[in-house]
Amino acid sequence: SAFNRAVESVKPRGAIILKSTYAGSMDFNPAPIVVNELTIIGSRCGRFKDAVAYLKKYNPPLEKLISAEYPLEDALAAFAVSEKKETLKVVLRAFQN
């Protein structure tokens, strides 16, 4: 359902990035993809073992990569900030801690 939601949500000539290790099949209607000239890009996961080893060894300050955090209801403001050249990462929080 997330894929279909993405197809419904993206603007014409927009792109959808499929970032997942999902291995199942799905049913979808290709018409909106063709009519709206959408680009679908797959992105597989990298090698977690090497990434985890790096993080353990160097303990980089990853929190410095976060430029801003917003609650989910402020998603439009978060996307506006994410478009700025100096923004590295914007976090949307679905739940309050």
Side-chain angles (χ1 to χ4, degrees):
S1 67
F3 177 78
N4 290 327
R5 186 71 168 289
V7 170
E8 294 169 5
S9 301
V10 71
K11 292 180 180 180
R13 293 190 159 188
I16 298 171
I17 311 299
L18 299 177
K19 178 66 175 146
S20 180
T21 54
Y22 180 74
S25 62
M26 63 181 182
D27 294 320
F28 68 95
N29 177 4
I33 296 169
V34 175
V35 170
N36 292 321
E37 299 179 337
L38 303 181
T39 299
I40 310 293
I41 300 171
S43 178
R44 67 181 175 89
C45 293
R47 298 184 334 198
F48 285 109
K49 183 179 177 183
D50 293 343
V52 171
Y54 176 88
L55 292 172
K56 284 181 178 179
K57 182 175 181 178
Y58 296 104
N59 193 24
L62 299 178
E63 65 278 355
K64 290 185 178 183
L65 298 176
I66 299 172
S67 299
E69 294 187 41
Y70 290 88
L72 189 57
E73 58 269 14
D74 292 337
L76 293 179
F79 279 106
V81 169
S82 73
E83 292 177 338
K84 295 180 180 179
K85 190 174 185 177
E86 66 274 10
T87 301
L88 294 176
K89 185 171 208 60
V90 175
V91 175
L92 285 174
R93 299 266 182 229
F95 304 101
Q96 292 291 336
N97 291 336

